[in-house]
Amino acid sequence: MKKIGLVYIKGAVPGFENFGELPTHLVKSNGLVDGKKASSELDALIIPGGTLLESGDISDDLSKEIKQIAKNGKPIIGVCAGLQLLANQTDIGRKSEVPIIKEGLGLIDVNLSPLISSDRVNAKVYDNSFITKGQNEDVTGFHTHTYGKIEGDAKPLFYSKIQRMNYGDVNKKSEYNIFSGACNDDGNVIGTMIHNILDENPIIRNNLLNYIDASSEDIEDISAKNKEVKSKINMEVGIDSGHKIEKLSGEFLKYKNNGKGPKFLMIGSNGSDSGKTFILTGLAGALRKRGLKVALMKVGPDARDIVPGLYLTNGKMEDYGSIKIGHLGWMDIKLAIDKLNKSDYDIVLIEGVMSVFTGLLNEKVPYSASEIAMSSNIPMLLMSGVNKGGIESATVDLVAHANMLKKLGVTVEAILLNKVYNQDIFENVVPYIKNNTQVKNVLNVSKLKIDGRGFTPEVEIRYDLFSKYALECVEENIDINTIASMAKNVNFNRIVPFEEIKNRVI
């Protein structure tokens, strides 16, 4: 049987896409497959996305094996962070006064630097490698990266057509404006920023199988072995975290789908920097750990925010991972809800965007997280960080938000104060919240003392550390059964017209 390895180390997201259902073996940091060197055992290697360079788990043994595979003329495909690893270097110093350089393996002659993109894309193809042979039309996939500016002398493979870059619309002429894939001189080492390229483009997938001379029997064996690999990946929370997925039992059995569709809960807030991504990540890991199958969605275009949660659940970035608001995002909420209600997910967690009201009075509808919740009667956990105005100010703000959401018809199941630095003050504000809203559950998460970089999703993040702290923090501070009980089955109802929203608000 032909053997196709998938790098499986801290910071990687091996469940993020299916890689054409091709990986047959997991390659860990020791660079071994079945106790033997990967370079002698494997016919091809796939390096997934993630935070491989930031997490720093690329051992000398693994580096040597990747270089040897390339030297042997065998194919290597690196996606997103996989390309960063294969490149010369990547500047991960976004918002830093000076570049922060992480060295790659130098197998593809390019350098990468900060450029944010989270679009569904079409990409123009260049015939510079076996992988693009016969691919005469655009390939499709999606971007979700922070360091996507590629410069260098390597042979180009793809140029993506993207709508947004660094949080702004940039491509009104719909041009192929981003260098998004390259290869080495021999064409066997391939790197691309396009996720799902093996899943959505059969010619690309088949070219890899043809290159390794896979017979029809090999392909059947690869398919069977791939199922075993996925089963292994889905046995633990994250990678080498020490947390195994438990057998679904006890109180959590009642949250199982059982053919009735998943239950939904939105994590909304009163503004940016509240910690939505941190809390959603921890909740996703905690629910998955207890045996529930968890789907993650993001309101708006920045699907990067749910990747740390997917790191813990080993879940796939689905085509409804980004909910469209206005012209931003991937899929309309109606189609997303309809698809999820036919899925086998047990619980769906949705991360809001900015404040739940940001965009509410834009004449385009929907344009805010609150409108997405209104459209399908999605219950909400409403939260705020307390690091700017203190616990008291955050409390007053949350009460106002909760009451306006009630006016709009959104059920707030719980209020959560994040980064709480004084439990006595928190206990004193709980009666105020309960007396001035109809919210029964008032939760808090203690402030963490975290030093160093790698904990800010919008700037620089290490999936392994960020997710570890998020899971531990949520489990220490929040009753997971209470959270699961807040989620409800929903159906799409309607998008509320702008005039009706204005009348309710004013």
Side-chain angles (χ1 to χ4, degrees), residues 248-294:
L248 188 61
S249 60
E251 287 290 319
F252 291 92
L253 274 171
K254 63 186 176 186
Y255 307 121
K256 189 170 175 57
N257 185 318
N258 288 325
K260 297 180 181 179
K263 295 176 171 60
F264 291 70
L265 179 67
M266 180 180 289
I267 316 300
S269 76
N270 63 343
S272 297
D273 197 31
S274 60
K276 289 189 297 293
T277 299
F278 188 80
I279 297 300
L280 177 126
T281 298
L283 291 176
L287 291 165
R288 182 70 190 115
K289 179 181 170 183
R290 286 155 178 77
L292 294 166
K293 188 172 181 183
V294 183

Side-chain angles (χ1 to χ4, degrees), residues 70-175:
K71 186 177 180 181
N72 292 346
K74 295 177 181 179
I76 300 175
I77 298 177
V79 181
C80 200
L83 168 56
Q84 295 170 16
L85 178 59
L86 296 171
N88 295 324
Q89 64 179 40
T90 298
D91 171 15
I92 66 166
R94 183 169 180 267
K95 292 191 176 181
S96 173
E97 294 181 0
V98 296
I100 300 175
I101 302 299
K102 295 287 186 178
E103 300 292 335
L105 300 180
L107 295 175
I108 300 178
D109 189 15
V110 294
N111 301 321
L112 289 91
S113 58
L115 185 153
I116 296 168
S117 173
S118 294
D119 279 4
R120 288 284 317 173
V121 299
N122 284 54
K124 185 178 181 181
V125 178
Y126 290 77
D127 187 16
N128 283 321
S129 166
F130 77 89
I131 202 74
T132 53
K133 183 179 179 181
Q135 182 68 49
N136 300 318
E137 298 180 350
D138 287 357
V139 297
T140 63
F142 65 89
H143 287 190
T144 175
H145 57 249
T146 306
Y147 315 110
K149 184 177 181 181
I150 305 173
E151 298 174 299
D153 296 326
K155 294 179 179 179
L157 289 179
F158 309 111
Y159 269 82
S160 291
K161 188 188 299 182
I162 68 169
Q163 176 184 334
R164 288 172 62 80
M165 178 198 308
N166 297 330
Y167 303 113
D169 290 344
V170 296
N171 197 12
K172 294 181 180 178
K173 294 182 180 179
S174 195
E175 298 171 330

Side-chain angles (χ1 to χ4, degrees), residues 31-46:
L32 301 181
V33 173
D34 297 333
K36 299 176 183 178
K37 291 184 176 181
S39 57
S40 61
E41 284 294 293
L42 296 178
D43 298 286
L45 178 67
I46 296 171

Side-chain angles (χ1 to χ4, degrees), residues 8-26:
Y8 188 76
I9 59 175
K10 288 182 179 180
V13 283
F16 196 61
E17 50 193 297
N18 290 323
F19 305 105
E21 315 284 358
L22 295 177
T24 63
H25 292 75
L26 299 177

Side-chain angles (χ1 to χ4, degrees), residues 212-327:
I212 63 174
D213 294 323
S215 66
S216 57
E217 291 80 9
D218 286 327
I219 293 172
E220 287 183 10
D221 290 340
I222 287 170
S223 178
K225 195 69 176 176
N226 180 257
K227 292 177 182 176
E228 292 181 23
V229 165
K230 287 186 175 180
S231 178
K232 287 181 182 178
I233 290 172
N234 283 305
M235 290 176 66
E236 65 175 332
V237 178
I239 297 176
D240 294 334
S241 67
H243 297 291
K244 297 294 182 183
I245 296 189
E246 302 164 3
K247 182 179 179 181
L248 188 61
S249 60
E251 287 290 319
F252 291 92
L253 274 171
K254 63 186 176 186
Y255 307 121
K256 189 170 175 57
N257 185 318
N258 288 325
K260 297 180 181 179
K263 295 176 171 60
F264 291 70
L265 179 67
M266 180 180 289
I267 316 300
S269 76
N270 63 343
S272 297
D273 197 31
S274 60
K276 289 189 297 293
T277 299
F278 188 80
I279 297 300
L280 177 126
T281 298
L283 291 176
L287 291 165
R288 182 70 190 115
K289 179 181 170 183
R290 286 155 178 77
L292 294 166
K293 188 172 181 183
V294 183
L296 300 177
M297 303 169 75
K298 169 71 179 181
V299 177
D302 201 358
R304 293 178 308 150
D305 287 349
I306 62 173
V307 183
L310 293 173
Y311 175 81
L312 285 181
T313 65
N314 280 311
K316 187 174 183 293
M317 176 64 84
E318 303 281 7
D319 53 0
Y320 40 74
S322 165
I323 304 171
K324 188 174 286 187
I325 50 173
H327 67 292

